[in-house]
Each structure stands twice: as C-alpha cells, then as structure tokens.
Amino acid sequence: MFLGFDEGTPHIPRVQSWGKPRLTPHPPEPGWGPHPGSPCSPSVPAAVGKSTFLKLLGATFPRWHLVTEPVAQWRKVPAGGTAQAAVGSANLLQMMYQEPARWSYTFQTFSCISRLKAMLEPPDEGPPETPHPVRVFERSVFSDRYVFAKNLFEAGHLQPLEWAIYQDWHDFLLRHLGPRATLHGFLYLRARPQTCLERLRRRARSEEGGIQLGYLQQLHAQHEHWLVDKTTEIHFADARSAPVLVLDVDKDFEHDVAVQGVLMAQVEAFVTSLSADTLPSHPNPLRAGEGAASP
Ligand SMILES: Nc1ncnc2c1ncn2[C@@H]1O[C@H](COP(=O)(O)OP(=O)(O)O)[C@@H](O)[C@H]1O
Ligand SMILES: Nc1nc2c(ncn2[C@H]2C[C@H](O)[C@@H](COP(=O)(O)O)O2)c(=O)[nH]1
C-alpha cells in the first residue's frame, strides 16, 4: 500500500498499497505514494488481505481517500474495438496467468497505466470543510515495476527487450510526472507466503486457481528485497527514501478487534510522522474524531 498527501489540496497526505496497497499527501508535493500531501500505498503479495485492510482503514479513518486496485478492469478489458465491455471484452488477468510468456508485457502496460490513472485522478470533491487528509493506494506503479514486472522478467516471462522497453517508458513517465507520481510512504503488509496461499484459496478467484506457493514465495522475496533489505535498485530518489511501515498481518486481524486496534494505531503514528517529516508547515492531518480505535 502507498500513502500520500493529495497534491494541490493543502493539508492532505497520501499513502500507497501492496504487494498490493499505498499512501501519499498532496500539497506542494504530491503523493501518498510518495510525498506529503501525496499518497501512500500498501505493498503486499497477492491475497495477503489488502482489501480487508483497506476496509478497516476506511472504517477507522472515514475522511481518508482510499484508492482500490483496478482488478475489475483487468478482468474485463474492452476488446475488438468496442467500448461495450460486456460484449467483446478480454480477461487479461486470466490470459496473463494462462500464457505468461505471451501476455505478461501487455498485462504490465495495462496495469501500470491503470495505476497511474488512479493516482492522477483528483479525489472526489467533498465539502470544503472536510478535505481528504490522506490518500492510500492499494498498490502503486512501484509495485508494478519492482515486484511484478521484475519478477516476470526474472522468471523468463518478460523478454529482455520487453523489460528494457517497460523500464524505459516507466522512467520517462515518472520523471515527467515528477511530484504528481510521488508517494510519501509505503505500508508493507507482511505475511508468510503460506498464509497468502490459504487466503487466496479462500477467496477462490477463478483466474488464480493455478497459482502455487512458489509464485507467492517469489512475490514475497521481491517485497523483502525492495522494502526491507533494500537490495532492489530503485531509480527514483523519492521512492527510494520514502519511509516504510512493516505491518505483521499474518495473524487474523479480520475477526480480532484488539489486533485491528494495534494495526490502526501503528498506521496513525506512521502517517503523523510522515506529515511531520515531509511537510514541516503542514498541519497534523489527523484531526479530532479521526484517531485509530484503541488497541
Ligand atoms: N488477517 C486476516 N485473517 C484471516 N483472513 C483474512 C485476513 N485478511 C484477509 N482475509 C481473508 O483472506 C481472503 C483474501 O483477502 P483480501 O483482503 O481479498 O486479499 P487481497 O486484497 O490482498 O488480495 C478473504 O477471504 C479474506 O476474508
Ligand atoms: N502480473 C501481475 N499480476 C498482478 C499485478 N498486480 C496484481 N496482480 C495480480 C495478483 C492477483 O492475482 C490479482 C489481484 O491482486 P490481489 O492483491 O487482490 O491479490 O492481480 C501486476 O502488476 N502484475
């Protein structure tokens, strides 16, 4: 997940999501993803519990703007020149899992662009007295590149030429978007690959029936290299230096109010520290009545 503060909206931080979620704040700088007032995003392997976690964030911090992953778009891409998704649509997620060597590059272009669109979309206008103080993205353009695309390349599903082209346009777009594509912090929802596999089986999404533990282990390792060991080469200074909050979600937080309280308090403290570090003149984005549930 990525966290950020909303760009252009004073007093709004942003965050990104994980493996799949992220956070960012948006004022002079963009991104919860990468910057204060820009977004943040959670980063997580598949089926770690991002969506469940985002719902909890939404219930605890109702004024935060949460941006979910556009997985529905990937399952129904308008195809054959028709704009009617119901007639003539392609399930790109399924195609990528069934024939990764053929469809991985196409998938990564579509997923990355759909993530960028979500990031650049201004948050819904609320009443002026209740601006969104924080934006959280379920996953980001950084997970797209430094987890999924990198992993597909290393697994041999992206050809060296495809990987080079992907990185070229990814660099170009992010450099030109500058602060608009920045995230202020990352939430890393960490669980054992075996736990993710159990949750993935429980979710039972038809396209994911063939996913094996080995694939989730690869995604887990990519997250660890990027966010914990810091051995992945990150080509953007803001993303490289953005703070990371590692949250242990291996335990069942879905049905445990005490664990939920602890997690929400950790996120609240992290976002507060982001605002202080990255937005010196930025008022505390967490206002009365918006605190996390007590542990
Ligand atoms: N902490 C948790 N403990 C137990 N089950 C969970 C937890 N988080 C999610 N789940 C369950 O695991 C499945 C996948 O969760 P979901 O939030 O959809 O994952 P993601 O969005 O990361 O793919 C769902 O059935 C959900 O109810
Ligand atoms: N090859 C890629 N697959 C991706 C990417 N982002 C997400 N995904 C897959 C993983 C899941 O099967 C599904 C939705 O994710 P959940 O987080 O809900 O488990 O999409 C990507 O960039 N590349």
Side-chain angles (χ1 to χ4, degrees):
M1 284 191 185
F2 304 84
L3 281 176
F5 301 87
D6 281 337
E7 211 175 337
T9 308
H11 320 319
I12 300 187
R14 296 189 278 178
V15 191
Q16 162 205 350
S17 141
W18 85 29
K20 284 173 190 203
R22 51 186 189 169
L23 289 170
T24 321
H26 270 233
E29 292 108 341
W32 183 349
H35 301 279
S38 73
C40 277
S41 168
S43 262
V44 287
V48 75
K50 285 184 292 26
S51 312
T52 307
F53 189 83
L54 274 187
K55 277 186 208 140
L56 181 57
L57 280 182
T60 310
F61 306 107
R63 288 178 44 225
W64 291 14
H65 183 67
L66 309 180
V67 183
T68 55
E69 189 167 60
V71 63
Q73 288 176 32
W74 309 340
R75 301 173 87 185
K76 222 172 220 188
V77 184
T82 173
Q84 305 296 317
V87 188
S89 64
N91 186 336
L92 188 53
L93 184 66
Q94 179 167 296
M95 291 155 74
M96 184 267 301
Y97 279 128
Q98 284 183 345
E99 259 190 285
R102 168 66 184 85
W103 292 109
S104 288
Y105 180 77
T106 309
F107 187 91
Q108 294 308 143
T109 61
F110 196 66
S111 59
C112 193
I113 294 298
S114 63
R115 287 181 167 123
L116 260 185
K117 285 182 187 168
M119 221 173 154
L120 299 177
E121 187 95 3
D124 298 339
E125 285 296 324
E129 66 280 10
T130 58
H132 299 297
V134 175
R135 287 177 76 190
V136 182
F137 299 90
E138 192 171 351
R139 280 210 183 96
S140 71
V141 291
F142 302 102
S143 324
D144 202 282
R145 174 167 175 174
Y146 296 112
V147 172
F148 288 99
K150 178 172 180 284
N151 194 60
L152 288 166
F153 167 64
E154 290 171 4
H157 298 313
L158 280 182
Q159 292 301 310
L161 180 62
E162 293 173 319
W163 178 224
I165 292 172
Y166 172 96
Q167 293 183 95
D168 184 66
W169 59 249
H170 191 280
D171 282 345
F172 174 81
L173 285 175
L174 267 58
R175 293 206 192 291
H176 280 264
L177 287 167
R180 298 182 68 205
T182 295
L183 294 174
H184 303 108
F186 295 95
L187 303 179
Y188 175 24
L189 306 189
R190 190 195 225 170
R192 289 172 304 124
Q194 183 62 46
T195 304
C196 295
L197 185 63
E198 286 157 18
R199 291 178 187 167
L200 186 121
R201 296 283 181 251
R202 200 174 317 151
R203 174 172 76 194
R205 194 180 273 152
S206 59
E207 296 87 345
E208 298 170 345
I211 292 182
Q212 301 297 321
L213 183 60
Y215 180 61
L216 298 177
Q217 286 169 331
Q218 289 169 6
L219 296 184
H220 180 79
Q222 296 292 359
H223 281 96
E224 294 283 312
H225 297 332
W226 169 27
L227 298 165
V228 179
D229 316 334
K230 315 258 183 193
T231 49
T232 298
E233 185 185 0
I234 304 295
H235 302 81
F236 308 93
D238 287 340
R240 204 162 42 236
S241 58
V244 178
L245 175 65
V246 181
L247 293 163
D248 177 2
V249 297
D250 204 68
K251 279 186 277 194
D252 182 346
F253 64 80
E254 200 176 10
H255 305 105
D256 189 326
V257 177
V259 177
Q260 290 176 7
V262 171
L263 290 170
M264 293 301 101
Q266 286 178 275
V267 173
E268 183 179 37
F270 179 66
V271 171
T272 303
S273 71
L274 282 184
S275 336
D277 290 351
T278 53
L279 296 177
S281 58
H282 195 291
N284 187 335
L286 303 174
R287 297 187 179 91
E290 207 180 42
S294 308

